[in-house]
Amino acid sequence: MKCTLVPSQFYDENCAGNFLAQVFDMPENTPVKSVNVPAYDAWLVYAEENPGEVPAMLPLIEKLPACSDYNKIMCCWKDGELSLAIAQGKTLLLCNVFRAEDFTTAEYFIFLALKQLQLNPEVSTICWMNPLDDEQQMSLFRYFKGVETCV
């Protein structure tokens, strides 16, 4: 799903479609919605491709502040897309969606993001919004202090 996060200081409801069009090719007459994300002083702007459907990113960034660790890593891997949100304390560092057809590719994007942000997975817990099978959990436990599911 096409979405972008806009800081509240730049957000204007009348320009929501323009924000999305700056990062995606948008077909004309695509309905655009936005949701306030007060924990990070931002607005999530998204294309409503299916009526009533919200991007997987929304529950991630809404639940991210509830993670107990200082390094907050929240993921959802569904339908070949990895939604990933990372924060340190109350500061949102990354909020993005990656094409990941398999779990190994999803892990690649997670580790790439952590490396770029200079976060150590060995002292971090990673939280998932979707269930993981035993093999996926064991793979993550090799790198992370903890693996949690927050369905």
Side-chain angles (χ1 to χ4, degrees), residues 5-18:
L5 204 59
V6 179
S8 291
Q9 64 193 33
F10 300 117
Y11 179 77
D12 178 349
E13 187 174 344
N14 297 322
C15 300
N18 294 337

Side-chain angles (χ1 to χ4, degrees), residues 4 7 14 23 31 39 67 72 74 79 82 84 92 107-108 129-130 137 143 147:
T4 190
N14 297 322
V23 290
C67 292
K72 301 170 187 315
M74 183 77 72
D79 300 328
L82 170 71
L84 174 63
L92 184 64
E107 287 180 307
Y108 168 80
M129 296 287 292
N130 58 285
Q137 283 189 356
Y143 304 100
V147 179

Side-chain angles (χ1 to χ4, degrees), residues 3-61:
C3 63
T4 190
L5 204 59
V6 179
S8 291
Q9 64 193 33
F10 300 117
Y11 179 77
D12 178 349
E13 187 174 344
N14 297 322
C15 300
N18 294 337
F19 291 121
L20 214 49
Q22 289 176 24
V23 290
F24 294 102
D25 289 330
M26 295 290 295
E28 281 190 44
N29 302 323
T30 301
V32 175
K33 302 278 185 165
S34 54
V35 177
N36 189 15
V37 185
Y40 297 109
D41 196 24
W43 287 79
L44 182 69
V45 179
Y46 63 95
E48 189 179 46
E49 295 160 341
N50 298 315
E53 184 181 7
V54 297
M57 187 59 65
L58 182 59
L60 251 65
I61 55 180

